[in-house]
Amino acid sequence: MNNAAGILCFKRAILALRLQPLTLVGTSVFAALLTITFSGIPLAGTVLASLWMPFGAVLTGIATRDALAGRSPSYAPLLSAVKDHRDRKELLTAGIVYTILTELLTFVFTWLAREDIANWKLTEDGLGLDTASIAGNIPWEAILVTGALYVPVLMMTAFSPLLIVLGRQSAGKSFFYSFFGTLRNFGTVLLAVLVFVVLFGGSFALLEVALLSVGLEGFFLFVSPLLMAVILTVANALVWTLYEAVLLREPQKDAERRSR
């Protein structure tokens, strides 16, 4: 696939937001709030948030599909996935695998960063961490190694929930197709992600600097949650548009080539 397709995927994610701004943002915020709620539960929070991840991906992915098709997104696909025994079992399996992998990565990060973190100091009042001690002991090795290890995990799990529900695949098969579909079209996916990061990350940073420079810190604190909701929505929509390009259109093209 032409890598320029990544730009088209980003444009289609923006189009979905323009077509159904309120309902699409609503589904993304709902999924994020549940993740935050689960994460705040003592002891089991991280596990519960990871188990919810595939269900949230189904909700936001199908919501984007419906928005692009001119339909109003709803929570019916999520409820259907929860009620359906096969979907529920496979999504939970995917969530368990994702939980195990992320916990392993957390252990790797903690182990590699242990010396740097040990040098972090509390402020004089003991109520927080001293930013200077953190800046002087950033665990770059742990960040780089863990980030590199997380990439294949993300490739394996990014499209897995949609493959389970829409493609009727098992969790194991969905991991396989998600990983190799992403690998085969890595340039497309990377370009879409880079465009997203540069445009939204850069715009967010520039807005913050501009408002702080003119003394409107309070205004930025007011609008930043709204901006974050929009950015989160486009990120979720991008998962669907990439799924559509990488795992729906490519097999069709291969079939057409073989039939010639």
Side-chain angles (χ1 to χ4, degrees):
M1 181 183 293
N2 191 327
N3 290 344
I7 298 178
L8 178 60
C9 289
F10 177 78
K11 289 181 177 179
R12 283 179 59 76
I14 298 295
L15 175 62
L17 177 63
R18 289 176 54 194
L19 291 172
Q20 296 287 343
L22 295 180
T23 50
L24 203 59
V25 170
T27 56
S28 289
V29 170
F30 173 78
L33 287 177
L34 271 187
T35 300
I36 294 170
T37 301
F38 286 139
S39 299
I41 297 175
L43 300 178
T46 303
V47 174
L48 291 175
S50 297
L51 290 175
W52 158 249
M53 183 275 296
F55 293 91
V58 168
L59 171 64
T60 57
I62 296 180
T64 303
R65 181 199 67 181
D66 290 344
L68 289 170
R71 299 187 295 269
S72 179
S74 72
Y75 294 87
L78 173 61
L79 295 175
S80 176
V82 171
K83 292 178 181 179
D84 186 276
H85 175 72
R86 191 211 73 91
D87 286 353
R88 184 174 66 250
K89 182 186 73 171
E90 297 299 338
L91 289 171
L92 285 174
T93 300
I96 290 170
V97 173
Y98 181 75
T99 301
I100 293 171
L101 292 174
T102 52
E103 288 298 314
L104 287 173
L105 289 178
T106 300
F107 172 79
V108 170
F109 177 84
T110 303
W111 185 76
L112 291 175
R114 65 191 186 282
E115 294 182 1
D116 291 307
I117 294 176
N119 292 324
W120 292 0
K121 295 179 172 53
L122 294 174
T123 54
E124 293 183 359
D125 57 15
L127 298 178
L129 289 171
D130 178 53
T131 55
S133 69
I134 296 176
N137 296 279
I138 299 176
W140 290 115
E141 180 185 3
I143 293 172
L144 293 174
V145 171
T146 308
L149 292 174
Y150 184 65
V151 169
V153 173
L154 192 59
M155 291 169 63
M156 185 176 78
T157 57
F159 305 119
S160 172
L162 293 171
L163 286 168
I164 288 172
V165 172
L166 300 179
R168 311 306 295 171
Q169 294 183 1
S170 65
K173 190 175 181 180
S174 72
F175 290 146
F176 177 87
Y177 277 93
S178 179
F179 180 85
F180 284 101
T182 303
L183 184 63
R184 182 180 178 184
N185 300 278
F186 192 77
T188 295
V189 176
L190 181 61
L191 181 59
V193 172
L194 286 177
V195 170
F196 170 80
V197 171
V198 170
L199 289 182
F200 279 97
S203 300
F204 193 86
L206 287 174
L207 177 63
E208 180 180 11
V209 171
L211 291 176
L212 290 176
S213 65
V214 296
L216 294 177
E217 299 92 339
F219 182 73
F220 178 77
L221 294 176
F222 174 75
V223 299
S224 58
L226 301 177
L227 292 175
M228 287 303 299
V230 170
I231 292 173
L232 176 65
T233 302
V234 175
N236 288 329
L238 192 59
V239 173
W240 169 261
T241 58
L242 284 170
Y243 168 79
E244 186 181 45
V246 169
L247 291 166
L248 293 185
R249 294 178 181 173
E250 279 300 294
Q252 294 173 4
K253 290 180 181 179
D254 288 342
E256 290 171 1
R257 294 189 194 102
R258 287 194 295 268
S259 65
R260 290 172 184 171

